[in-house]
Amino acid sequence: MSRQNYIFLLSCIFIFMLFSCKHGEGEYHSLTDKIEEKSKDYHGVPVSSESYINDLKIVEITEGEHTFLIPERKSQITSYACTECHSKPLEQMKGSDFKKAHWDIELVHANKVTMNCATCHNGNNMDNLQSLTGNSIDFNRSYKLCSQCHSQQFEDWKGGAHGKNIGGWADPRAAMTCVNCHNPHKPHIESRWPSRFNTQKVKERE
């Protein structure tokens, strides 16, 4: 092939590629190009989660690259602060005439060899939880306690794939924590029939 023919062929290819780009007609080289082009004028949607949060007491947390809101926990605990009753270290209160409490709590979480009350509660600092390494954990950050063993669920929760978001994915993001859905002393959620199924059965039995 002569040099002139080679240059002519390259010119034809260039012209063909130039006129094959039809961005103005709504056609794109790839899906990524289309997303980028369509996103230039996107300014979000006028939806907010604030109407779903309402009067819910919330706190803001940051875990890794995720910052979002969670329900404030301590004001929901009827017996908090714990030191209102636990006026002495737990060891000093054993065998005394103090009124016994928490007698109705049955721990069904792992097994008795692996876990007991002292795994999460510090008998000398009842107003806070404690990690497996003995560090203090605020009751409002109880998810940090759960994340020690349930690390995959914790990662999913941070990203929004596990648990319940309040108000869906609307900003500001607000999410329930572990204890909003799970009883920390008995976290397994029993299988249930959908309420719709139960309603139908009730009607059938009438």
Side-chain angles (χ1 to χ4, degrees):
M1 181 184 291
S2 67
R3 180 180 175 81
Q4 286 182 335
N5 289 340
Y6 182 71
I7 293 173
F8 176 75
L9 180 61
L10 287 178
S11 299
C12 290
I13 293 172
F14 175 75
I15 292 170
F16 173 77
M17 292 177 64
L18 181 65
F19 286 99
S20 67
C21 294
K22 300 179 180 179
H23 285 207
E25 299 177 18
E27 296 184 15
Y28 306 91
H29 290 299
S30 67
L31 180 60
T32 305
D33 288 345
K34 183 175 182 179
I35 292 172
E36 288 179 357
E37 185 67 24
K38 294 287 187 181
S39 298
K40 287 180 180 178
D41 298 322
Y42 178 74
H43 302 293
V45 292
V47 177
S48 172
S49 66
E50 291 178 354
S51 61
Y52 296 94
I53 296 172
N54 292 324
D55 297 328
L56 186 68
K57 291 184 179 180
I58 54 175
V59 293
E60 183 179 270
I61 63 167
T62 298
E63 290 294 335
E65 60 185 25
H66 303 282
T67 297
F68 53 100
L69 307 171
I70 62 171
E72 192 272 341
R73 173 75 174 149
K74 288 187 282 192
S75 64
Q76 305 301 313
I77 304 174
T78 55
S79 298
Y80 191 85
C82 302
T83 49
E84 288 182 0
C85 296
H86 290 271
S87 55
K88 297 180 179 179
L90 197 59
E91 287 297 324
Q92 295 181 26
M93 297 179 74
K94 284 183 177 179
S96 65
D97 294 328
F98 287 99
K99 181 181 178 181
K100 292 185 178 180
H102 314 306
W103 58 269
D104 56 338
I105 292 178
E106 180 185 4
L107 185 62
V108 185
H109 197 160
N111 60 62
K112 293 180 181 179
V113 175
T114 306
M115 180 176 284
N116 58 33
C117 303
T119 306
C120 303
H121 297 277
N122 183 344
N124 298 316
N125 180 15
M126 299 300 291
D127 285 339
N128 289 286
L129 300 165
Q130 72 171 358
S131 71
L132 295 173
T133 53
N135 293 318
S136 180
I137 296 177
D138 189 274
F139 270 95
N140 281 339
R141 304 292 195 279
S142 61
Y143 62 85
K144 288 182 177 290
L145 201 63
C146 309
S147 69
Q148 297 175 114
C149 300
H150 305 285
S151 55
Q152 185 56 60
Q153 289 87 342
F154 176 60
E155 292 300 319
D156 292 342
W157 174 73
K158 287 192 298 182
H162 184 100
K164 177 179 174 56
N165 285 330
I166 305 170
W169 290 97
D171 288 328
R173 182 189 164 203
M176 295 294 191
T177 66
C178 313
V179 294
N180 293 124
C181 299
H182 299 271
N183 178 340
H185 302 119
K186 188 179 180 182
H188 176 70
I189 296 176
E190 299 294 336
S191 298
R192 294 179 294 178
W193 288 106
S195 57
R196 185 174 169 187
F197 174 87
N198 290 340
T199 303
Q200 183 62 35
K201 281 296 181 185
V202 170
K203 289 180 179 178
E204 290 175 3
R205 290 169 182 164
E206 289 177 350

